[in-house]
Amino acid sequence: MEDCIFCKIIKGEIPSEKVYEDEEILAFKDIHPAAPVHILVIPKKHIATLLEISEQDSYLMGKMMQVIQKIAKDLGIEEKGFRLIANCGPDSGQEVMHIHFHLLAGRKMGPKIIS
Ligand code: 5GP
Ligand code: ZN
């Protein structure tokens, strides 16, 4: 997708601090961290919103959860814990129309962390 910021990050047209990459998934540090650890985990396939995930994406979505586990272990946050957030649509405040999970950790979190 030509105008998608995250597709540009995947292609290397916009720099990012990568923490994980394979053929299908990329994880990189959020440019405006809301916690000491704030990673965005995205599929390389452009899917605009959670509502556009199809049955063919089942393997990919499952793999994203495995990757999130791996990142949590690699970063040493698996014991203290982390929060996973995915925004969808205007009320959620979704700004980037390429699905992503926010992986947040490194501090005690209240009921609301992304406004
Ligand atoms: P959303 O509000 O769509 O769930 O979250 C989008 C996230 O992408 C925000 O937390 C924002 O800081 C992050 N973001 C937007 N543009 C860039 C960028 O160019 N690089 C990085 N690393 N993060 C970005
Ligand atoms: Zn995209």
Side-chain angles (χ1 to χ4, degrees):
M1 286 290 161
E2 282 176 15
D3 291 336
C4 173
I5 291 172
F6 287 177
C7 284
K8 286 182 180 168
I9 286 175
I10 291 161
K11 285 187 261 177
E13 293 170 10
I14 294 175
S16 67
E17 276 192 74
K18 294 176 190 177
V19 298
Y20 176 88
E21 182 168 23
D22 66 29
E23 320 76 56
E24 293 159 314
I25 295 166
L26 178 66
F28 54 96
K29 294 185 182 177
D30 196 292
I31 204 166
H32 294 125
V37 175
H38 188 167
I39 309 292
L40 298 171
V41 185
I42 67 172
K44 289 190 172 176
K45 176 182 177 184
H46 179 88
I47 302 172
T49 79
L50 295 179
L51 291 170
E52 285 165 49
I53 296 167
S54 69
E55 207 178 329
Q56 290 99 292
D57 301 317
S58 298
Y59 167 79
L60 178 61
M61 297 311 293
K63 187 174 166 187
M64 285 184 77
M65 292 302 129
Q66 301 288 317
V67 165
I68 286 161
Q69 284 183 2
K70 177 175 164 40
I71 294 168
K73 288 172 189 165
D74 288 351
L75 296 179
I77 55 171
E78 80 275 30
E79 276 191 23
K80 281 199 149 187
F82 57 88
R83 181 173 285 176
L84 199 59
I85 294 173
N87 293 316
C88 183
D91 274 2
S92 75
Q94 181 180 4
E95 286 175 1
V96 179
M97 293 298 142
H98 181 130
I99 61 167
H100 50 280
F101 289 105
H102 297 258
L103 173 58
L104 296 143
R107 68 168 170 83
K108 202 92 175 163
M109 288 178 217
K112 217 177 177 189
I113 40 150
I114 293 184
S115 58

